[in-house]
Amino acid sequence: EDEANNGQENTWFNIFALHQNRDTGRGAKNCVHESMIPEWMDLVVWGHEHECRIVPDESLVGTFRITQPGSSVATSLVQGEAVRKHIGLLDIRGCQFRLKPIPLSMVRAFATGEVSLGRGNAMNAEDELDPDDPKVEENMMEYLSAHVSRLIDDAREQGKKLREDALVEANKALQRKRHRRNHNEDDEEMGEMGLGKPMFTIQKPDQVLVRLKVEHTGFSTLNNQRFGARFVSEVANPSDLLLFHRRRQLDAHDSATNKSKTNSSLLAEPLDPEELAELNVEDLIQDNLEMADKKLEILDEKRLGFALDEFVTKEQRQAFNDNVAETLVRQQKALILSGNRDYDEVENSDEEENGGGG
C-alpha cells in the first residue's frame, strides 16, 4: 500500500506561480514569505521582481525550489536590471525537473554605477570636490560626466557581446531548421531569410541605458535635464542619468537607544535608493512612535500601521477616519466604564461613612 501511495503521489509535479514582492527586507506585510508557501510544492516561479535569478535556488523551507525569471527587458533603472536577462526551458519527468537557462540577446544594454562626492572618495587628491568652491557645480558636471562616460563604454561593450550572441543563436536556429527540412526545398527560403541574420533588431543599439547613483552629502544636486543634454545621442535615458541621495544619520537621542537593528536604525548608515524603497513606511512610523517621548496615548500604533497599509496598498481612503472613529468609540466606552466604577466606589464610600456615623 505504501508503494502504491508513493507511486500515486509521484505522478504529480506541483508548480506555484506568483507575482508578488519577495521577502528581501520590505517588512512583515509588504511581501510574501517563503514559509507561507505550501511545503508540497515542487517548483515556485516567482514573478514581479526585477533581477533575473533563473537558476532554481533551494527555498529557506527546504522542501521546494524557486526560480525568479525577472523582467525580460529593463523596466526600472535599478541595479537588479543590469543582470543578464534569461528565460528558461523547463523539462519535467515524474517528480524530477530540469530548467535550462536561455540568455536573451535582443535586450538594450544597461550599466549602473555609484559614486560619492564626499572627501576621500576620489582616486587622486586633486580630483576631490570642494563644496565651497565657486565653480563647484561646473566641477561636479565634469566629474560626473567622466563617470557616466565610463559607464556608457561598459554598456556598449556589453551590447556588442549581446549582438554577437544574437548572431550565433540566429545561425544555430537556421541550421536546425535546415536539418529538419529537405535541403532542396529549403535552399531558396534560406536565401530569402539570410543565414545569420536575426529576425529582430534593436533600434539605435549604441544608445544604451545608464544610471549613476550619486551620494551628495554636503553638495547640491545638478539639473538632470541639463546634465543629460550632453549625452542625448549616446544614451536612451538622457533625462534620468543621475540619481542623487544623501547619507542619513540619526540624532544623538535616537543613537542612544539600545534597539536592535530595525528599519529606523538602518537610517544611521548610507542608504541606496533601492534599500530606501524597500523600507516599510508603517514599520518606520511604528519604530519612531515606540520611543518613550513620542509614544501615542490614545491612538494605537499597530492599528495606525494597519490603517496606513490599507490606505496605501488598497486605496481605502476612509482607513484613517475609520481608525480614528473606532478608537474614539473604544476610548469613550472605556471612560464610561471607568466613570461608572469611580461613581460606584464613591457611593459605597458615602454609604459606609453614613452607616458608621449612625
PDB file of all heavy atoms in Angstrom, residues 106-122:
ATOM      1  N   MET A 106      18.423  40.116 -27.604  1.00  0.00           N
ATOM      2  CA  MET A 106      17.853  41.374 -28.103  1.00  0.00           C
ATOM      3  C   MET A 106      17.351  42.232 -26.939  1.00  0.00           C
ATOM      4  O   MET A 106      16.152  42.473 -26.771  1.00  0.00           O
ATOM      5  CB  MET A 106      16.727  41.074 -29.082  1.00  0.00           C
ATOM      6  CG  MET A 106      17.192  40.552 -30.423  1.00  0.00           C
ATOM      7  SD  MET A 106      18.136  41.794 -31.358  1.00  0.00           S
ATOM      8  CE  MET A 106      19.784  41.116 -31.260  1.00  0.00           C
ATOM      9  N   VAL A 107      18.284  42.650 -26.091  1.00  0.00           N
ATOM     10  CA  VAL A 107      17.980  43.482 -24.928  1.00  0.00           C
ATOM     11  C   VAL A 107      18.913  44.685 -24.957  1.00  0.00           C
ATOM     12  O   VAL A 107      20.120  44.536 -25.207  1.00  0.00           O
ATOM     13  CB  VAL A 107      18.181  42.694 -23.610  1.00  0.00           C
ATOM     14  CG1 VAL A 107      17.893  43.579 -22.410  1.00  0.00           C
ATOM     15  CG2 VAL A 107      17.302  41.458 -23.583  1.00  0.00           C
ATOM     16  N   ARG A 108      18.369  45.865 -24.707  1.00  0.00           N
ATOM     17  CA  ARG A 108      19.216  47.066 -24.704  1.00  0.00           C
ATOM     18  C   ARG A 108      20.174  47.001 -23.521  1.00  0.00           C
ATOM     19  O   ARG A 108      19.769  46.747 -22.384  1.00  0.00           O
ATOM     20  CB  ARG A 108      18.369  48.334 -24.629  1.00  0.00           C
ATOM     21  CG  ARG A 108      19.176  49.619 -24.884  1.00  0.00           C
ATOM     22  CD  ARG A 108      18.263  50.834 -24.954  1.00  0.00           C
ATOM     23  NE  ARG A 108      17.343  50.748 -26.074  1.00  0.00           N
ATOM     24  CZ  ARG A 108      17.641  51.071 -27.322  1.00  0.00           C
ATOM     25  NH1 ARG A 108      18.872  51.493 -27.612  1.00  0.00           N
ATOM     26  NH2 ARG A 108      16.745  50.979 -28.272  1.00  0.00           N
ATOM     27  N   ALA A 109      21.454  47.235 -23.773  1.00  0.00           N
ATOM     28  CA  ALA A 109      22.477  47.136 -22.734  1.00  0.00           C
ATOM     29  C   ALA A 109      22.242  48.187 -21.646  1.00  0.00           C
ATOM     30  O   ALA A 109      21.841  49.314 -21.926  1.00  0.00           O
ATOM     31  CB  ALA A 109      23.863  47.305 -23.353  1.00  0.00           C
ATOM     32  N   PHE A 110      22.522  47.814 -20.405  1.00  0.00           N
ATOM     33  CA  PHE A 110      22.259  48.669 -19.253  1.00  0.00           C
ATOM     34  C   PHE A 110      23.410  48.518 -18.267  1.00  0.00           C
ATOM     35  O   PHE A 110      23.812  47.406 -17.917  1.00  0.00           O
ATOM     36  CB  PHE A 110      20.928  48.262 -18.617  1.00  0.00           C
ATOM     37  CG  PHE A 110      20.600  48.993 -17.339  1.00  0.00           C
ATOM     38  CD1 PHE A 110      20.890  50.336 -17.199  1.00  0.00           C
ATOM     39  CD2 PHE A 110      19.992  48.338 -16.286  1.00  0.00           C
ATOM     40  CE1 PHE A 110      20.583  51.017 -16.040  1.00  0.00           C
ATOM     41  CE2 PHE A 110      19.676  49.006 -15.121  1.00  0.00           C
ATOM     42  CZ  PHE A 110      19.975  50.352 -14.990  1.00  0.00           C
ATOM     43  N   ALA A 111      23.960  49.636 -17.819  1.00  0.00           N
ATOM     44  CA  ALA A 111      25.056  49.633 -16.857  1.00  0.00           C
ATOM     45  C   ALA A 111      24.738  50.600 -15.727  1.00  0.00           C
ATOM     46  O   ALA A 111      24.178  51.678 -15.953  1.00  0.00           O
ATOM     47  CB  ALA A 111      26.382  50.015 -17.525  1.00  0.00           C
ATOM     48  N   THR A 112      25.092  50.213 -14.505  1.00  0.00           N
ATOM     49  CA  THR A 112      24.872  51.067 -13.336  1.00  0.00           C
ATOM     50  C   THR A 112      26.186  51.274 -12.601  1.00  0.00           C
ATOM     51  O   THR A 112      27.128  50.480 -12.719  1.00  0.00           O
ATOM     52  CB  THR A 112      23.856  50.432 -12.363  1.00  0.00           C
ATOM     53  OG1 THR A 112      24.382  49.190 -11.871  1.00  0.00           O
ATOM     54  CG2 THR A 112      22.534  50.199 -13.044  1.00  0.00           C
ATOM     55  N   GLY A 113      26.246  52.338 -11.845  1.00  0.00           N
ATOM     56  CA  GLY A 113      27.416  52.620 -11.018  1.00  0.00           C
ATOM     57  C   GLY A 113      27.030  53.546  -9.890  1.00  0.00           C
ATOM     58  O   GLY A 113      25.910  54.066  -9.841  1.00  0.00           O
ATOM     59  N   GLU A 114      27.944  53.755  -8.973  1.00  0.00           N
ATOM     60  CA  GLU A 114      27.692  54.679  -7.870  1.00  0.00           C
ATOM     61  C   GLU A 114      28.967  55.398  -7.499  1.00  0.00           C
ATOM     62  O   GLU A 114      30.070  54.871  -7.659  1.00  0.00           O
ATOM     63  CB  GLU A 114      27.103  53.943  -6.671  1.00  0.00           C
ATOM     64  CG  GLU A 114      27.883  52.751  -6.179  1.00  0.00           C
ATOM     65  CD  GLU A 114      27.152  52.046  -5.064  1.00  0.00           C
ATOM     66  OE1 GLU A 114      26.701  52.742  -4.139  1.00  0.00           O
ATOM     67  OE2 GLU A 114      27.045  50.818  -5.116  1.00  0.00           O
ATOM     68  N   VAL A 115      28.800  56.603  -6.985  1.00  0.00           N
ATOM     69  CA  VAL A 115      29.943  57.429  -6.633  1.00  0.00           C
ATOM     70  C   VAL A 115      29.529  58.335  -5.474  1.00  0.00           C
ATOM     71  O   VAL A 115      28.348  58.669  -5.317  1.00  0.00           O
ATOM     72  CB  VAL A 115      30.398  58.265  -7.855  1.00  0.00           C
ATOM     73  CG1 VAL A 115      29.322  59.271  -8.267  1.00  0.00           C
ATOM     74  CG2 VAL A 115      31.708  58.976  -7.573  1.00  0.00           C
ATOM     75  N   SER A 116      30.494  58.702  -4.656  1.00  0.00           N
ATOM     76  CA  SER A 116      30.255  59.622  -3.549  1.00  0.00           C
ATOM     77  C   SER A 116      31.067  60.891  -3.783  1.00  0.00           C
ATOM     78  O   SER A 116      32.239  60.837  -4.173  1.00  0.00           O
ATOM     79  CB  SER A 116      30.642  58.978  -2.218  1.00  0.00           C
ATOM     80  OG  SER A 116      30.505  59.905  -1.158  1.00  0.00           O
ATOM     81  N   LEU A 117      30.444  62.039  -3.543  1.00  0.00           N
ATOM     82  CA  LEU A 117      31.118  63.321  -3.757  1.00  0.00           C
ATOM     83  C   LEU A 117      31.902  63.772  -2.535  1.00  0.00           C
ATOM     84  O   LEU A 117      32.586  64.794  -2.587  1.00  0.00           O
ATOM     85  CB  LEU A 117      30.091  64.397  -4.122  1.00  0.00           C
ATOM     86  CG  LEU A 117      29.269  64.154  -5.385  1.00  0.00           C
ATOM     87  CD1 LEU A 117      28.323  65.325  -5.618  1.00  0.00           C
ATOM     88  CD2 LEU A 117      30.163  63.944  -6.595  1.00  0.00           C
ATOM     89  N   GLY A 118      31.790  63.034  -1.427  1.00  0.00           N
ATOM     90  CA  GLY A 118      32.481  63.431  -0.204  1.00  0.00           C
ATOM     91  C   GLY A 118      33.986  63.307  -0.310  1.00  0.00           C
ATOM     92  O   GLY A 118      34.537  62.678  -1.211  1.00  0.00           O
ATOM     93  N   ARG A 119      34.676  63.898   0.667  1.00  0.00           N
ATOM     94  CA  ARG A 119      36.140  63.871   0.673  1.00  0.00           C
ATOM     95  C   ARG A 119      36.637  62.439   0.897  1.00  0.00           C
ATOM     96  O   ARG A 119      36.016  61.658   1.612  1.00  0.00           O
ATOM     97  CB  ARG A 119      36.681  64.785   1.768  1.00  0.00           C
ATOM     98  CG  ARG A 119      36.402  66.266   1.507  1.00  0.00           C
ATOM     99  CD  ARG A 119      37.102  67.138   2.541  1.00  0.00           C
ATOM    100  NE  ARG A 119      36.854  68.558   2.294  1.00  0.00           N
ATOM    101  CZ  ARG A 119      37.551  69.283   1.443  1.00  0.00           C
ATOM    102  NH1 ARG A 119      38.537  68.734   0.763  1.00  0.00           N
ATOM    103  NH2 ARG A 119      37.277  70.564   1.277  1.00  0.00           N
ATOM    104  N   GLY A 120      37.783  62.142   0.298  1.00  0.00           N
ATOM    105  CA  GLY A 120      38.383  60.837   0.466  1.00  0.00           C
ATOM    106  C   GLY A 120      37.866  59.798  -0.494  1.00  0.00           C
ATOM    107  O   GLY A 120      38.287  58.639  -0.440  1.00  0.00           O
ATOM    108  N   ASN A 121      36.958  60.167  -1.400  1.00  0.00           N
ATOM    109  CA  ASN A 121      36.384  59.200  -2.327  1.00  0.00           C
ATOM    110  C   ASN A 121      36.993  59.285  -3.722  1.00  0.00           C
ATOM    111  O   ASN A 121      36.784  58.394  -4.532  1.00  0.00           O
ATOM    112  CB  ASN A 121      34.868  59.402  -2.421  1.00  0.00           C
ATOM    113  CG  ASN A 121      34.167  59.027  -1.128  1.00  0.00           C
ATOM    114  OD1 ASN A 121      34.076  57.868  -0.778  1.00  0.00           O
ATOM    115  ND2 ASN A 121      33.699  60.036  -0.418  1.00  0.00           N
ATOM    116  N   ALA A 122      37.723  60.345  -4.005  1.00  0.00           N
ATOM    117  CA  ALA A 122      38.362  60.475  -5.314  1.00  0.00           C
ATOM    118  C   ALA A 122      39.654  59.674  -5.346  1.00  0.00           C
ATOM    119  O   ALA A 122      40.328  59.480  -4.330  1.00  0.00           O
ATOM    120  CB  ALA A 122      38.646  61.945  -5.627  1.00  0.00           C
TER     121      ALA A 122
END
